[in-house]
Amino acid sequence: MEQFRQMLNDCIRIGLETGATSLKTLSLKAYQQLRGYNVPSAYKLGAISRATGILRNYRKAKRKGIRVREPYARRLQLTTCYGFKIKKDLLLIPFKSKERIQIPLNQHTLQSLSIMDARSITLTVDRLSISYAKEVTEIEPKGLVGIDRNLDNLTLADSSGRTEQIVLVKATQIKSKYRMVKARFTRNDVRVRRRIFQKYGEKQQNRVHHILHNASKHIVEDAKVRSLGIVMEDLRGIRKLYRKGNGQGRFYRSRMNSWSFYELQRQIEYKAQWEGLSVIYVRPYGTSSKCSMCGHGLSEENRTVKCPSCGLTVDRDVNAAKNILAKGLRFRPVAPAIEAMVQESAQAVISCH
Ligand SMILES: [Zn+2]
C-alpha cells in the first residue's frame, strides 16, 4: 500500500507537470517512469487510473473557481480494477511476481457476485471493499410519484391518486439535540472540544443516515413494485432557499438545512438508478403556494389549506407533493395519469425508526 501511494503520487505529479488528462496520455507518460517499482504491473495501471480520476476532479474544481490544494495522496489505500481474480470463494490479488494473496469472501459478497461483476477492489489498512456493476434495463414508467420534503416528513403523491407520508421526526430530533449539546459546551480547550464534537457528530450522522436509508429504500421499493418514475424538486440550490433574509427564522432555517435533503435525494437517485427507475427533477418554485387542483394562489399558514377558488381542502404537504407530481407529468407524460388524478386519495402513514 505504501508503494501504491508513492506510485499514485508520482502519477499525480507527472499528470500535473505534463498536463495529461486522459487515461491514455497519462499511461504513456507515466508507465515508463514507474519502471523502478518492483510491483505487479496491474498495480501500476491501477495507480495510473486512480491518478486520472483524482486529476480530473482537481481540474473540475479548479475550473469552477473553487480553491483547492494540489492533490496529494496521504491515505494508505490501494485501488485497482486490474489484476485481481475471484475463484470460487476466494479473492486472489497479485503480490510480488507470480505470488497471490488469497482472501476468503463471505456469503453475502458471494451472493452479490453471483448476479453482478466485480469492477474494482479497494484495500485499506483494515478494510476491503469490492465495487460491482450490473446491467440495468430502464423500466418504462406506468406512472410517476412526486416527493415533497418537509421539516418532519416526506410526502408522496403518485399518479394513481395515492398519497403517503413518511415521518422523519426522529432525524430532526437527533440533529437538533446535537446542536443543543454543541451550543451548551463551553469548555475552552479547542482540541478536546473538537475531538468530542467529532465523535458525537459521527454518531448522530450515522443514526440520521440510517433513518434516511430506510426512507429511501422504502420509496424506491414501492416505486419499483408499481413501476413508477420518481419526481423530486431540484435541490441543488437548497441552501440558498433557506438562508438569511428569506423571511424564515434562524431556528427554522437551521432545521431546514439540517437533516440533509441533499443526502436523501442522492440516496433515492442512486437506488432508483440501480433498479432502472427514472428520476425527474423539477424546479422547486411555487410547489407549495399553488392549489394542486386549479393553480390558484394559496396562503401557507396552516397545516390544511383551503383553495378560495375551487374549494379544495387538502393537507399542505400533500398539495405540494401533487404539484411536484404535476410538474413531472408535464415533463414526462404518462398515459393513464389524468383520469387517475381525480380519484379519492388513500392515505397511509409510515414511520421510520
Ligand atoms: Zn383550487
Side-chain angles (χ1 to χ4, degrees):
M1 278 189 259
E2 180 52 38
Q3 277 188 318
F4 187 80
R5 196 174 69 97
Q6 284 172 12
M7 288 197 298
L8 183 53
N9 282 323
D10 279 353
C11 294
I12 293 173
R13 189 175 40 78
I14 294 162
L16 286 173
E17 280 167 5
T18 60
T21 46
S22 72
L23 183 61
K24 200 178 157 201
T25 35
L26 190 63
S27 306
L28 290 171
K29 300 212 154 100
Y31 196 76
Q32 279 303 311
Q33 301 205 34
L34 295 179
R35 237 176 343 188
Y37 291 96
N38 181 24
V39 296
S41 59
Y43 294 141
K44 294 181 186 171
L45 293 172
I48 293 169
S49 110
R50 182 92 186 89
T52 315
I54 292 172
L55 288 166
R56 194 183 300 134
N57 286 339
Y58 169 67
R59 291 207 174 89
K60 210 163 129 192
K62 228 173 139 184
R63 258 204 315 276
K64 280 187 185 164
I66 303 167
R67 274 187 51 193
V68 275
R69 263 187 293 184
E70 280 207 348
Y72 182 81
R74 278 174 195 82
R75 230 180 318 160
L76 274 185
Q77 182 180 312
L78 188 157
T79 305
T80 181
C81 36
Y82 312 100
F84 65 90
K85 245 186 217 160
I86 288 151
K87 230 175 195 174
K88 281 180 190 161
D89 54 352
L90 291 174
L91 171 71
L92 305 174
I93 49 179
F95 179 67
K96 288 184 183 161
S97 53
K98 302 269 159 71
E99 264 179 77
R100 281 174 195 281
I101 301 176
Q102 303 190 343
I103 300 172
L105 300 170
N106 65 23
Q107 212 50 49
H108 175 76
T109 314
L110 290 170
Q111 209 185 355
S112 308
L113 283 168
S114 67
I115 50 168
M116 289 170 282
D117 292 335
R119 285 293 162 87
S120 73
I121 56 166
T122 298
L123 206 58
T124 61
V125 177
D126 57 356
R127 195 171 290 200
L128 165 73
S129 49
I130 304 176
S131 37
Y132 313 106
K134 79 168 177 182
E135 290 282 331
V136 183
T137 24
E138 194 167 323
I139 296 167
E140 187 58 39
K142 293 198 183 104
L144 297 178
V145 53
I147 303 173
D148 178 48
R149 75 284 172 277
N150 297 289
L151 218 51
D152 290 336
N153 75 62
L154 292 169
T155 306
L156 283 66
D158 72 24
S159 41
S160 73
R162 193 172 166 277
T163 62
E164 181 183 342
Q165 218 150 55
I166 299 174
V167 178
L168 292 169
V169 182
K170 264 263 152 59
T172 321
Q173 280 169 351
I174 293 166
K175 286 271 189 172
S176 62
K177 200 172 145 209
Y178 172 62
R179 263 194 308 280
M180 238 151 66
V181 170
K182 213 171 163 179
R184 276 192 200 147
F185 200 90
T186 48
R187 217 174 131 167
N188 262 335
D189 188 327
V190 177
R191 273 178 313 174
V192 172
R193 202 160 60 187
R194 197 175 292 151
R195 206 164 57 225
I196 289 174
F197 284 159
Q198 197 176 7
K199 206 171 164 201
Y200 196 78
E202 264 169 35
K203 228 165 100 186
Q204 62 114 20
Q205 191 96 15
N206 284 342
R207 288 175 65 199
V208 171
H209 267 218
H210 183 73
I211 293 170
L212 298 186
H213 265 297
N214 278 344
S216 57
K217 189 175 159 204
H218 168 76
I219 290 169
V220 172
E221 277 176 357
D222 213 48
K224 199 193 173 192
V225 171
R226 293 162 208 268
S227 309
L228 301 176
I230 293 169
V231 190
M232 289 186 282
E233 290 175 306
D234 190 346
L235 297 179
R236 267 169 299 186
I238 192 70
R239 279 178 197 270
K240 274 184 232 150
L241 265 172
Y242 301 104
R243 71 180 170 199
K244 238 175 160 174
N246 282 12
Q248 304 120 345
R250 191 170 75 102
F251 182 62
Y252 181 79
R253 269 200 323 271
S254 79
R255 291 226 301 174
M256 251 354 221
N257 284 335
S258 71
W259 62 256
S260 193
F261 295 124
Y262 187 75
E263 171 60 18
L264 190 86
Q265 173 183 306
R266 191 188 66 83
Q267 289 181 7
I268 292 174
E269 186 179 317
Y270 85 72
K271 285 175 191 176
Q273 279 172 348
W274 188 254
E275 298 295 349
L277 300 170
S278 49
V279 177
I280 298 164
Y281 286 107
V282 296
R283 282 159 62 88
Y285 302 106
T287 47
S288 50
S289 57
K290 274 183 196 146
C291 170
S292 58
M293 197 71 105
C294 71
H296 196 277
L298 297 173
S299 65
E300 294 174 58
E301 282 142 34
N302 302 315
R303 251 285 26 113
T304 310
V305 290
K306 187 168 193 285
C307 175
S309 175
C310 73
L312 174 77
T313 307
V314 66
D315 178 85
R316 185 185 55 198
D317 300 334
V318 171
N319 185 59
K322 286 194 169 177
N323 277 328
I324 292 168
L325 168 67
K327 280 190 176 192
L329 285 169
R330 248 172 282 155
F331 187 82
R332 180 167 192 165
V334 183
I338 297 123
E339 46 185 300
M341 284 278 281
V342 286
Q343 272 177 15
E344 195 60 32
S345 62
Q347 187 148 352
V349 174
I350 285 183
S351 186
C352 289
H353 295 288

PDB file of all heavy atoms in Angstrom, residues 136-165:
ATOM      1  N   VAL A 136     -28.326  -2.469 -16.157  1.00  0.00           N
ATOM      2  CA  VAL A 136     -29.650  -2.053 -15.730  1.00  0.00           C
ATOM      3  C   VAL A 136     -30.503  -1.778 -16.959  1.00  0.00           C
ATOM      4  O   VAL A 136     -30.088  -1.045 -17.849  1.00  0.00           O
ATOM      5  CB  VAL A 136     -29.578  -0.758 -14.882  1.00  0.00           C
ATOM      6  CG1 VAL A 136     -30.953  -0.371 -14.390  1.00  0.00           C
ATOM      7  CG2 VAL A 136     -28.638  -0.949 -13.714  1.00  0.00           C
ATOM      8  N   THR A 137     -31.660  -2.404 -17.009  1.00  0.00           N
ATOM      9  CA  THR A 137     -32.582  -2.056 -18.085  1.00  0.00           C
ATOM     10  C   THR A 137     -33.585  -1.058 -17.530  1.00  0.00           C
ATOM     11  O   THR A 137     -34.181  -1.285 -16.478  1.00  0.00           O
ATOM     12  CB  THR A 137     -33.358  -3.284 -18.604  1.00  0.00           C
ATOM     13  OG1 THR A 137     -33.397  -4.256 -17.574  1.00  0.00           O
ATOM     14  CG2 THR A 137     -32.728  -3.854 -19.844  1.00  0.00           C
ATOM     15  N   GLU A 138     -33.716   0.054 -18.223  1.00  0.00           N
ATOM     16  CA  GLU A 138     -34.606   1.076 -17.708  1.00  0.00           C
ATOM     17  C   GLU A 138     -36.062   0.630 -17.823  1.00  0.00           C
ATOM     18  O   GLU A 138     -36.487   0.103 -18.845  1.00  0.00           O
ATOM     19  CB  GLU A 138     -34.401   2.394 -18.460  1.00  0.00           C
ATOM     20  CG  GLU A 138     -35.060   3.536 -17.728  1.00  0.00           C
ATOM     21  CD  GLU A 138     -34.625   4.890 -18.258  1.00  0.00           C
ATOM     22  OE1 GLU A 138     -33.446   5.048 -18.613  1.00  0.00           O
ATOM     23  OE2 GLU A 138     -35.489   5.772 -18.313  1.00  0.00           O
ATOM     24  N   ILE A 139     -36.797   0.823 -16.729  1.00  0.00           N
ATOM     25  CA  ILE A 139     -38.202   0.430 -16.705  1.00  0.00           C
ATOM     26  C   ILE A 139     -39.043   1.588 -17.250  1.00  0.00           C
ATOM     27  O   ILE A 139     -38.891   2.729 -16.819  1.00  0.00           O
ATOM     28  CB  ILE A 139     -38.642   0.097 -15.258  1.00  0.00           C
ATOM     29  CG1 ILE A 139     -37.855  -1.129 -14.743  1.00  0.00           C
ATOM     30  CG2 ILE A 139     -40.140  -0.136 -15.173  1.00  0.00           C
ATOM     31  CD1 ILE A 139     -37.969  -1.352 -13.264  1.00  0.00           C
ATOM     32  N   GLU A 140     -39.888   1.271 -18.202  1.00  0.00           N
ATOM     33  CA  GLU A 140     -40.793   2.296 -18.730  1.00  0.00           C
ATOM     34  C   GLU A 140     -41.861   2.579 -17.668  1.00  0.00           C
ATOM     35  O   GLU A 140     -42.627   1.695 -17.304  1.00  0.00           O
ATOM     36  CB  GLU A 140     -41.437   1.785 -20.019  1.00  0.00           C
ATOM     37  CG  GLU A 140     -42.264   2.791 -20.777  1.00  0.00           C
ATOM     38  CD  GLU A 140     -41.490   4.036 -21.185  1.00  0.00           C
ATOM     39  OE1 GLU A 140     -40.301   3.908 -21.570  1.00  0.00           O
ATOM     40  OE2 GLU A 140     -42.073   5.138 -21.088  1.00  0.00           O
ATOM     41  N   PRO A 141     -41.882   3.817 -17.135  1.00  0.00           N
ATOM     42  CA  PRO A 141     -42.808   4.058 -16.010  1.00  0.00           C
ATOM     43  C   PRO A 141     -44.282   3.996 -16.412  1.00  0.00           C
ATOM     44  O   PRO A 141     -44.668   4.474 -17.466  1.00  0.00           O
ATOM     45  CB  PRO A 141     -42.430   5.459 -15.527  1.00  0.00           C
ATOM     46  CG  PRO A 141     -41.697   6.084 -16.656  1.00  0.00           C
ATOM     47  CD  PRO A 141     -41.083   4.993 -17.456  1.00  0.00           C
ATOM     48  N   LYS A 142     -45.086   3.378 -15.530  1.00  0.00           N
ATOM     49  CA  LYS A 142     -46.529   3.333 -15.756  1.00  0.00           C
ATOM     50  C   LYS A 142     -47.187   4.541 -15.117  1.00  0.00           C
ATOM     51  O   LYS A 142     -48.381   4.778 -15.290  1.00  0.00           O
ATOM     52  CB  LYS A 142     -47.106   2.058 -15.138  1.00  0.00           C
ATOM     53  CG  LYS A 142     -46.646   0.798 -15.829  1.00  0.00           C
ATOM     54  CD  LYS A 142     -47.571  -0.371 -15.490  1.00  0.00           C
ATOM     55  CE  LYS A 142     -47.094  -1.660 -16.116  1.00  0.00           C
ATOM     56  NZ  LYS A 142     -46.467  -2.551 -15.136  1.00  0.00           N
ATOM     57  N   GLY A 143     -46.431   5.255 -14.336  1.00  0.00           N
ATOM     58  CA  GLY A 143     -46.920   6.451 -13.657  1.00  0.00           C
ATOM     59  C   GLY A 143     -45.755   7.132 -12.987  1.00  0.00           C
ATOM     60  O   GLY A 143     -44.621   6.707 -13.147  1.00  0.00           O
ATOM     61  N   LEU A 144     -46.038   8.198 -12.248  1.00  0.00           N
ATOM     62  CA  LEU A 144     -44.961   8.899 -11.543  1.00  0.00           C
ATOM     63  C   LEU A 144     -45.353   9.084 -10.085  1.00  0.00           C
ATOM     64  O   LEU A 144     -46.526   9.015  -9.724  1.00  0.00           O
ATOM     65  CB  LEU A 144     -44.718  10.277 -12.177  1.00  0.00           C
ATOM     66  CG  LEU A 144     -44.245  10.349 -13.630  1.00  0.00           C
ATOM     67  CD1 LEU A 144     -44.122  11.802 -14.055  1.00  0.00           C
ATOM     68  CD2 LEU A 144     -42.922   9.644 -13.828  1.00  0.00           C
ATOM     69  N   VAL A 145     -44.347   9.299  -9.266  1.00  0.00           N
ATOM     70  CA  VAL A 145     -44.620   9.655  -7.879  1.00  0.00           C
ATOM     71  C   VAL A 145     -43.833  10.925  -7.532  1.00  0.00           C
ATOM     72  O   VAL A 145     -42.638  11.013  -7.789  1.00  0.00           O
ATOM     73  CB  VAL A 145     -44.299   8.481  -6.906  1.00  0.00           C
ATOM     74  CG1 VAL A 145     -42.895   7.950  -7.082  1.00  0.00           C
ATOM     75  CG2 VAL A 145     -44.527   8.894  -5.452  1.00  0.00           C
ATOM     76  N   GLY A 146     -44.556  11.920  -7.023  1.00  0.00           N
ATOM     77  CA  GLY A 146     -43.922  13.185  -6.638  1.00  0.00           C
ATOM     78  C   GLY A 146     -43.562  13.144  -5.164  1.00  0.00           C
ATOM     79  O   GLY A 146     -44.329  12.641  -4.353  1.00  0.00           O
ATOM     80  N   ILE A 147     -42.381  13.644  -4.828  1.00  0.00           N
ATOM     81  CA  ILE A 147     -41.940  13.623  -3.429  1.00  0.00           C
ATOM     82  C   ILE A 147     -41.698  15.044  -2.936  1.00  0.00           C
ATOM     83  O   ILE A 147     -40.927  15.789  -3.529  1.00  0.00           O
ATOM     84  CB  ILE A 147     -40.639  12.809  -3.265  1.00  0.00           C
ATOM     85  CG1 ILE A 147     -40.835  11.380  -3.795  1.00  0.00           C
ATOM     86  CG2 ILE A 147     -40.210  12.786  -1.795  1.00  0.00           C
ATOM     87  CD1 ILE A 147     -39.559  10.574  -3.822  1.00  0.00           C
ATOM     88  N   ASP A 148     -42.384  15.399  -1.853  1.00  0.00           N
ATOM     89  CA  ASP A 148     -42.168  16.703  -1.246  1.00  0.00           C
ATOM     90  C   ASP A 148     -41.455  16.506   0.088  1.00  0.00           C
ATOM     91  O   ASP A 148     -41.869  15.688   0.900  1.00  0.00           O
ATOM     92  CB  ASP A 148     -43.525  17.387  -1.012  1.00  0.00           C
ATOM     93  CG  ASP A 148     -43.351  18.733  -0.336  1.00  0.00           C
ATOM     94  OD1 ASP A 148     -42.491  19.519  -0.791  1.00  0.00           O
ATOM     95  OD2 ASP A 148     -44.075  19.003   0.641  1.00  0.00           O
ATOM     96  N   ARG A 149     -40.378  17.214   0.309  1.00  0.00           N
ATOM     97  CA  ARG A 149     -39.636  17.048   1.562  1.00  0.00           C
ATOM     98  C   ARG A 149     -39.962  18.211   2.477  1.00  0.00           C
ATOM     99  O   ARG A 149     -40.072  19.346   2.053  1.00  0.00           O
ATOM    100  CB  ARG A 149     -38.135  16.914   1.312  1.00  0.00           C
ATOM    101  CG  ARG A 149     -37.413  18.187   0.944  1.00  0.00           C
ATOM    102  CD  ARG A 149     -37.673  18.611  -0.511  1.00  0.00           C
ATOM    103  NE  ARG A 149     -37.137  19.924  -0.794  1.00  0.00           N
ATOM    104  CZ  ARG A 149     -37.752  21.062  -0.507  1.00  0.00           C
ATOM    105  NH1 ARG A 149     -38.891  21.060   0.126  1.00  0.00           N
ATOM    106  NH2 ARG A 149     -37.212  22.199  -0.815  1.00  0.00           N
ATOM    107  N   ASN A 150     -40.156  17.882   3.739  1.00  0.00           N
ATOM    108  CA  ASN A 150     -40.544  18.892   4.706  1.00  0.00           C
ATOM    109  C   ASN A 150     -39.708  18.807   5.956  1.00  0.00           C
ATOM    110  O   ASN A 150     -38.849  17.954   6.085  1.00  0.00           O
ATOM    111  CB  ASN A 150     -42.015  18.719   5.065  1.00  0.00           C
ATOM    112  CG  ASN A 150     -42.879  18.945   3.858  1.00  0.00           C
ATOM    113  OD1 ASN A 150     -43.012  20.063   3.407  1.00  0.00           O
ATOM    114  ND2 ASN A 150     -43.410  17.869   3.307  1.00  0.00           N
ATOM    115  N   LEU A 151     -40.052  19.676   6.876  1.00  0.00           N
ATOM    116  CA  LEU A 151     -39.337  19.727   8.133  1.00  0.00           C
ATOM    117  C   LEU A 151     -39.297  18.360   8.821  1.00  0.00           C
ATOM    118  O   LEU A 151     -38.256  17.887   9.229  1.00  0.00           O
ATOM    119  CB  LEU A 151     -40.052  20.729   9.039  1.00  0.00           C
ATOM    120  CG  LEU A 151     -39.176  21.596   9.909  1.00  0.00           C
ATOM    121  CD1 LEU A 151     -38.108  22.263   9.075  1.00  0.00           C
ATOM    122  CD2 LEU A 151     -40.039  22.631  10.596  1.00  0.00           C
ATOM    123  N   ASP A 152     -40.459  17.719   8.933  1.00  0.00           N
ATOM    124  CA  ASP A 152     -40.534  16.485   9.707  1.00  0.00           C
ATOM    125  C   ASP A 152     -41.010  15.285   8.911  1.00  0.00           C
ATOM    126  O   ASP A 152     -41.178  14.205   9.456  1.00  0.00           O
ATOM    127  CB  ASP A 152     -41.495  16.665  10.895  1.00  0.00           C
ATOM    128  CG  ASP A 152     -40.908  17.603  11.924  1.00  0.00           C
ATOM    129  OD1 ASP A 152     -39.668  17.719  11.955  1.00  0.00           O
ATOM    130  OD2 ASP A 152     -41.667  18.232  12.666  1.00  0.00           O
ATOM    131  N   ASN A 153     -41.262  15.463   7.642  1.00  0.00           N
ATOM    132  CA  ASN A 153     -41.770  14.325   6.874  1.00  0.00           C
ATOM    133  C   ASN A 153     -41.447  14.426   5.398  1.00  0.00           C
ATOM    134  O   ASN A 153     -41.004  15.470   4.908  1.00  0.00           O
ATOM    135  CB  ASN A 153     -43.295  14.215   7.050  1.00  0.00           C
ATOM    136  CG  ASN A 153     -44.021  15.282   6.262  1.00  0.00           C
ATOM    137  OD1 ASN A 153     -43.933  15.332   5.036  1.00  0.00           O
ATOM    138  ND2 ASN A 153     -44.729  16.163   6.945  1.00  0.00           N
ATOM    139  N   LEU A 154     -41.669  13.309   4.730  1.00  0.00           N
ATOM    140  CA  LEU A 154     -41.646  13.294   3.274  1.00  0.00           C
ATOM    141  C   LEU A 154     -43.068  12.965   2.857  1.00  0.00           C
ATOM    142  O   LEU A 154     -43.683  12.066   3.421  1.00  0.00           O
ATOM    143  CB  LEU A 154     -40.747  12.182   2.764  1.00  0.00           C
ATOM    144  CG  LEU A 154     -39.262  12.311   3.007  1.00  0.00           C
ATOM    145  CD1 LEU A 154     -38.592  10.998   2.670  1.00  0.00           C
ATOM    146  CD2 LEU A 154     -38.698  13.412   2.122  1.00  0.00           C
ATOM    147  N   THR A 155     -43.597  13.689   1.877  1.00  0.00           N
ATOM    148  CA  THR A 155     -44.942  13.385   1.426  1.00  0.00           C
ATOM    149  C   THR A 155     -44.894  12.967  -0.030  1.00  0.00           C
ATOM    150  O   THR A 155     -44.267  13.614  -0.852  1.00  0.00           O
ATOM    151  CB  THR A 155     -45.861  14.600   1.615  1.00  0.00           C
ATOM    152  OG1 THR A 155     -45.779  15.003   2.978  1.00  0.00           O
ATOM    153  CG2 THR A 155     -47.299  14.260   1.273  1.00  0.00           C
ATOM    154  N   LEU A 156     -45.538  11.845  -0.313  1.00  0.00           N
ATOM    155  CA  LEU A 156     -45.529  11.292  -1.660  1.00  0.00           C
ATOM    156  C   LEU A 156     -46.933  11.345  -2.256  1.00  0.00           C
ATOM    157  O   LEU A 156     -47.910  11.082  -1.561  1.00  0.00           O
ATOM    158  CB  LEU A 156     -45.079   9.829  -1.629  1.00  0.00           C
ATOM    159  CG  LEU A 156     -43.590   9.520  -1.460  1.00  0.00           C
ATOM    160  CD1 LEU A 156     -43.088   9.942  -0.102  1.00  0.00           C
ATOM    161  CD2 LEU A 156     -43.329   8.043  -1.668  1.00  0.00           C
ATOM    162  N   ALA A 157     -47.010  11.679  -3.522  1.00  0.00           N
ATOM    163  CA  ALA A 157     -48.285  11.600  -4.224  1.00  0.00           C
ATOM    164  C   ALA A 157     -48.009  10.976  -5.583  1.00  0.00           C
ATOM    165  O   ALA A 157     -47.135  11.436  -6.300  1.00  0.00           O
ATOM    166  CB  ALA A 157     -48.880  12.999  -4.403  1.00  0.00           C
ATOM    167  N   ASP A 158     -48.704   9.889  -5.901  1.00  0.00           N
ATOM    168  CA  ASP A 158     -48.439   9.275  -7.205  1.00  0.00           C
ATOM    169  C   ASP A 158     -49.608   9.440  -8.159  1.00  0.00           C
ATOM    170  O   ASP A 158     -50.680   9.919  -7.782  1.00  0.00           O
ATOM    171  CB  ASP A 158     -48.001   7.813  -7.062  1.00  0.00           C
ATOM    172  CG  ASP A 158     -49.131   6.887  -6.660  1.00  0.00           C
ATOM    173  OD1 ASP A 158     -50.300   7.225  -6.917  1.00  0.00           O
ATOM    174  OD2 ASP A 158     -48.838   5.822  -6.082  1.00  0.00           O
ATOM    175  N   SER A 159     -49.396   9.065  -9.418  1.00  0.00           N
ATOM    176  CA  SER A 159     -50.384   9.382 -10.445  1.00  0.00           C
ATOM    177  C   SER A 159     -51.610   8.484 -10.384  1.00  0.00           C
ATOM    178  O   SER A 159     -52.539   8.642 -11.161  1.00  0.00           O
ATOM    179  CB  SER A 159     -49.746   9.367 -11.837  1.00  0.00           C
ATOM    180  OG  SER A 159     -48.851   8.297 -11.954  1.00  0.00           O
ATOM    181  N   SER A 160     -51.654   7.536  -9.438  1.00  0.00           N
ATOM    182  CA  SER A 160     -52.906   6.791  -9.265  1.00  0.00           C
ATOM    183  C   SER A 160     -53.757   7.451  -8.190  1.00  0.00           C
ATOM    184  O   SER A 160     -54.819   6.963  -7.835  1.00  0.00           O
ATOM    185  CB  SER A 160     -52.609   5.335  -8.887  1.00  0.00           C
ATOM    186  OG  SER A 160     -52.149   5.275  -7.551  1.00  0.00           O
ATOM    187  N   GLY A 161     -53.266   8.561  -7.634  1.00  0.00           N
ATOM    188  CA  GLY A 161     -54.035   9.282  -6.635  1.00  0.00           C
ATOM    189  C   GLY A 161     -53.677   8.910  -5.203  1.00  0.00           C
ATOM    190  O   GLY A 161     -54.198   9.459  -4.241  1.00  0.00           O
ATOM    191  N   ARG A 162     -52.780   7.962  -5.054  1.00  0.00           N
ATOM    192  CA  ARG A 162     -52.376   7.513  -3.734  1.00  0.00           C
ATOM    193  C   ARG A 162     -51.398   8.515  -3.116  1.00  0.00           C
ATOM    194  O   ARG A 162     -50.525   9.033  -3.803  1.00  0.00           O
ATOM    195  CB  ARG A 162     -51.695   6.157  -3.889  1.00  0.00           C
ATOM    196  CG  ARG A 162     -51.481   5.392  -2.621  1.00  0.00           C
ATOM    197  CD  ARG A 162     -50.977   3.998  -2.976  1.00  0.00           C
ATOM    198  NE  ARG A 162     -50.453   3.337  -1.803  1.00  0.00           N
ATOM    199  CZ  ARG A 162     -49.234   3.499  -1.336  1.00  0.00           C
ATOM    200  NH1 ARG A 162     -48.399   4.305  -1.950  1.00  0.00           N
ATOM    201  NH2 ARG A 162     -48.829   2.860  -0.252  1.00  0.00           N
ATOM    202  N   THR A 163     -51.574   8.783  -1.825  1.00  0.00           N
ATOM    203  CA  THR A 163     -50.599   9.628  -1.141  1.00  0.00           C
ATOM    204  C   THR A 163     -50.074   8.902   0.093  1.00  0.00           C
ATOM    205  O   THR A 163     -50.711   7.993   0.617  1.00  0.00           O
ATOM    206  CB  THR A 163     -51.200  10.973  -0.692  1.00  0.00           C
ATOM    207  OG1 THR A 163     -52.245  10.723   0.241  1.00  0.00           O
ATOM    208  CG2 THR A 163     -51.729  11.771  -1.860  1.00  0.00           C
ATOM    209  N   GLU A 164     -48.896   9.321   0.517  1.00  0.00           N
ATOM    210  CA  GLU A 164     -48.280   8.677   1.662  1.00  0.00           C
ATOM    211  C   GLU A 164     -47.369   9.658   2.358  1.00  0.00           C
ATOM    212  O   GLU A 164     -46.775  10.520   1.725  1.00  0.00           O
ATOM    213  CB  GLU A 164     -47.462   7.479   1.170  1.00  0.00           C
ATOM    214  CG  GLU A 164     -46.801   6.736   2.298  1.00  0.00           C
ATOM    215  CD  GLU A 164     -45.919   5.587   1.807  1.00  0.00           C
ATOM    216  OE1 GLU A 164     -46.068   5.141   0.657  1.00  0.00           O
ATOM    217  OE2 GLU A 164     -45.073   5.168   2.597  1.00  0.00           O
ATOM    218  N   GLN A 165     -47.300   9.524   3.682  1.00  0.00           N
ATOM    219  CA  GLN A 165     -46.414  10.408   4.420  1.00  0.00           C
ATOM    220  C   GLN A 165     -45.402   9.566   5.192  1.00  0.00           C
ATOM    221  O   GLN A 165     -45.778   8.620   5.879  1.00  0.00           O
ATOM    222  CB  GLN A 165     -47.228  11.261   5.376  1.00  0.00           C
ATOM    223  CG  GLN A 165     -46.709  12.679   5.470  1.00  0.00           C
ATOM    224  CD  GLN A 165     -47.827  13.659   5.778  1.00  0.00           C
ATOM    225  OE1 GLN A 165     -48.536  13.509   6.748  1.00  0.00           O
ATOM    226  NE2 GLN A 165     -47.981  14.664   4.933  1.00  0.00           N
TER     227      GLN A 165
END
